[in-house]
Amino acid sequence: MSNAVAERLRPFGTTIFAEMTRLAVEHDAVNLSQGFPDFDGPAFIREAAKHAIDTGHNQYARPAGEPALVGAIATSFSERTGLACDAMAEVTVTSGCTEAIAATMLGLVNPGDEVVLFEPFYDSYRACVAMAGAVPKTVAMRPARGSGGMRYAFDEAELRAAFGPKTRAVLVNTPHNPTGSVLTREELGVIASLATEHDAIVIADEVYEHLVYEGEHVSIAALPGMAERTVTLSSLGKTFSLTGWKIGWAIAPPQLTAGVRAAHQFLTFAVSTPMQHAAAEAIMRGQAEIDALLARYRDARSMLAETLDRVGFDVIMPAGSYFIMAGHERVSERLGIAAHAEKMRQQHDVALSLRLIRDVGVATIPPSVFCVRPEVASGSLRFAFCKKPETLREAARRLEPLVRGGGS
């Protein structure tokens, strides 16, 4: 049997996160590629999970989410946005935000519909569009100079051109992975206006909503007239350093929730019951932990940015998330990456990332893999700073030879 993989999934292969983490293990590299913390989440949340297990919360959960958790999510969302939220009718608990994205696409997007994506994007976006039989229409996030310095932003004319009579949805990720850009209220207003004009739904991926260092996080659902056409997605993992728990959710008005739940019931049916009870505790009692994590990440962001700048990368300081996108032109020139990439028929960021793993011992992500048009992001690498200080110091030590053009 030559190729048993369904045609709609053949272009995607193995996710870049699994591949780079595999290579990091193989080469004993410091893993700044996959966005998972190398430290545990708060003890009180972990203790809450143990308590839930010990007190009988071990059977199937309510498919849309345990009442304690959907109640906590609805309350938190209402407090942050000012929007009323019916916990039982409008909140659906999913197996991480990745399943929330898939359930939303499968439940609300029809074959042949068009979905607007901002590239570079989290890799599951395009795969979920393909699984829904829809067509991606991409808009580039590129470096631009604003009042606060360089940041990644979209071009309004390009965004307008991406919308058309077949547009069903636009997927908005803010704070944005991988660029770290936090979309402004004005930028979200442009997206909201176009969605309304074309009667499109907005899928808002807000998993980094609490990890904002400059500016403010604004939920597009809270803009005038947008609550009725927005599905807001988030998760526990990034906020509380518990990525392995895979507790995510979708918040939407009942007519959109119906589609999300129609797909969710056949994807996972229900999410881990004891972890849901612990997640409710985290959301209700975790603000001090969020504040501490934010302070920790501010320091980590500065530490990694200083290292990258020193060795020759061009850093655009992220306003949110826990990633830095850094231009690699000077480093690649010193290492002769262009000739090697052309010989191997690779994007320059792919060639450099493989060189760094093999010869330097530091794993990164080549963001061209997050694009329909690889050239949009092939001039940069993505580095994760959600790591212990000692991990970042070791990465700095290994990267130091790049200052002199060395790679081993």
Side-chain angles (χ1 to χ4, degrees), residues 15-354:
T15 172
I16 188 65
F17 305 113
E19 182 63 16
M20 299 310 281
T21 293
R22 181 189 68 79
L23 289 171
V25 172
E26 180 181 326
H27 293 279
D28 193 26
V30 176
N31 192 351
L32 304 186
S33 60
Q34 192 170 2
F36 63 84
D38 60 352
F39 53 88
D40 249 342
F44 86 88
I45 307 174
R46 291 182 277 122
E47 289 299 323
K50 297 174 189 175
H51 180 72
I53 291 170
D54 290 340
T55 54
H57 297 291
N58 298 300
Q59 307 308 321
Y60 288 126
R62 172 177 173 265
E66 286 290 275
L69 179 54
V70 296
I73 292 167
T75 297
S76 175
F77 183 72
S78 295
E79 289 174 349
R80 186 170 58 77
T81 64
L83 296 170
C85 182
D86 184 327
M88 303 301 279
E90 298 183 329
V91 179
T92 305
V93 175
T94 58
S95 181
C97 191
T98 299
E99 193 235 320
I101 295 163
T104 301
M105 289 286 184
L106 292 170
L108 294 171
V109 176
N110 289 306
D113 285 346
E114 293 178 351
V115 179
V116 177
L117 304 176
F118 294 87
E119 63 179 343
F121 42 67
Y122 176 54
D123 67 345
S124 84
Y125 291 178
R126 190 180 174 199
C128 288
V129 170
M131 286 191 287
V135 178
K137 304 290 284 187
T138 59
V139 177
M141 295 283 286
R142 292 190 171 94
R145 186 167 297 280
S147 58
M150 294 297 292
R151 64 186 292 268
Y152 281 84
F154 62 84
D155 178 75
E156 184 175 335
E158 185 181 4
L159 178 62
R160 289 186 179 279
F163 279 78
K166 294 184 178 180
T167 302
R168 170 59 174 163
V170 53
L171 204 169
V172 180
N173 176 212
T174 183
H176 185 256
N177 173 16
T179 69
S181 185
V182 175
L183 297 186
T184 66
R185 188 176 294 272
E186 291 71 26
E187 287 171 324
L188 292 171
V190 171
I191 297 169
S193 175
L194 287 166
T196 301
E197 178 184 340
H198 292 272
D199 194 26
I201 62 173
V202 174
I203 304 168
D205 178 352
E206 301 185 358
V207 294
Y208 300 100
E209 60 188 316
H210 294 290
L211 303 183
V212 177
Y213 316 105
E214 279 100 34
E216 63 169 341
H217 170 67
V218 177
S219 285
I220 194 169
L223 298 186
M226 291 306 295
E228 66 189 32
R229 65 174 66 250
T230 300
V231 183
T232 302
L233 313 178
S234 195
S235 75
L236 188 81
K238 305 301 190 297
T239 303
F240 292 103
S241 305
L242 295 165
T243 60
W245 285 26
K246 298 297 291 179
I247 301 291
W249 53 84
I251 304 170
Q255 70 273 17
L256 297 180
T257 290
V260 175
R261 291 181 179 179
H264 165 70
Q265 65 184 335
F266 296 117
L267 288 172
T268 59
F269 179 70
V271 176
S272 170
T273 305
M275 297 306 186
Q276 288 195 54
H277 284 269
E281 287 291 309
I283 292 170
M284 291 186 294
R285 298 173 45 206
Q287 188 57 52
E289 300 288 350
I290 294 172
D291 294 342
L293 185 67
L294 193 60
R296 176 178 189 154
Y297 281 163
R298 284 185 188 278
D299 291 342
R301 179 183 66 148
S302 296
M303 184 185 302
L304 181 57
E306 289 168 6
T307 294
L308 296 177
D309 180 68
R310 185 171 64 255
V311 302
F313 288 95
D314 296 310
V315 174
I316 295 181
M317 203 65 146
S321 81
Y322 48 46
F323 304 109
I324 291 177
M325 282 269 281
H328 61 72
E329 182 178 358
R330 289 182 291 157
V331 173
S332 288
E333 185 175 351
R334 289 202 301 263
L335 297 179
I337 292 298
H340 178 74
E342 289 165 14
K343 178 182 178 181
M344 301 300 293
R345 296 184 179 179
Q346 294 172 327
Q347 293 295 324
H348 289 195
D349 61 331
V350 173
L352 178 58
S353 67
L354 293 175

